[in-house]
Amino acid sequence: MVDALSVGSTALAVPEAATAFVLAGVARLRERRPILVVTPTVRDAERTAHDLTTFLGVGTVELFPAWDTLPFERVSPEVATMGQRLRLLWHLGLTGASGEGPAPEKAPAVVVARVRALLQRLGPVEVAASPVTVTRGAQIDLEHLVSRLV
């Protein structure tokens, strides 16, 4: 497998039962993080993420969810889905106008997403995905907070 990874572009044929095992091996051998695993369905994505977590450990695999609405529907996606997508983008260092964010070594080893999740627009993540930290007894300037999002 090490020889296959040293080539610029490689295709590996793996039986379905061994997919997570092989992907975990590739994730451990590669220095670049994360590896993007694309699946056709949400069920495949969830199963693959679960199986990879078994091999790689908790916190090393992230699932990038798709919006739970269709583009022509006049409803907003679930807040939890929006939060999951923005949190993952922040962890990958793809957000934050000032470049603030977690260290690159804190990025997950593997991101699993179904095709539909990758084809959907991200929105203005440069600012919106930067987390707001609130501590006990702190005062929040709501005008400043809202101005960050507009």
Side-chain angles (χ1 to χ4, degrees):
M1 186 181 315
V2 175
D3 292 338
L5 294 176
S6 63
V7 179
S9 176
T10 302
L12 296 174
V14 179
E16 185 177 345
T19 301
F21 180 74
V22 172
L23 288 171
V26 170
R28 287 187 187 272
L29 292 173
R30 297 271 314 204
E31 292 180 15
R32 291 182 64 189
R33 295 181 91 156
I35 292 174
L36 177 63
V37 177
V38 183
T39 65
T41 66
V42 68
R43 186 171 178 220
D44 290 337
E46 288 172 348
R47 186 186 71 241
T48 302
H50 177 268
D51 293 349
L52 283 169
T53 300
T54 302
F55 290 114
L56 297 174
V58 176
T60 58
V61 180
E62 289 282 347
L63 187 61
F64 188 65
W67 296 124
D68 43 7
T69 61
L70 297 173
F72 53 84
E73 292 180 322
R74 293 185 180 238
V75 295
S76 296
E78 289 287 326
V79 173
T81 303
M82 289 189 283
Q84 240 184 317
R85 288 171 63 96
L86 291 173
R87 183 186 55 78
L88 179 56
L89 293 172
W90 185 75
H91 277 288
L92 294 174
L94 300 176
T95 62
S98 63
E100 47 188 68
E105 60 271 5
K106 298 287 185 181
V110 180
V111 173
V112 182
R114 63 187 265 209
V115 172
R116 182 174 162 195
L118 295 176
L119 295 177
Q120 293 169 330
R121 291 184 50 137
L122 295 176
V125 296
E126 297 82 21
V127 175
S130 298
V132 176
T133 304
V134 179
T135 58
R136 186 178 198 169
Q139 292 187 6
I140 305 296
D141 181 6
L142 291 178
E143 289 180 23
H144 173 70
L145 187 60
V146 170
S147 69
R148 280 183 44 191
L149 300 174
V150 176

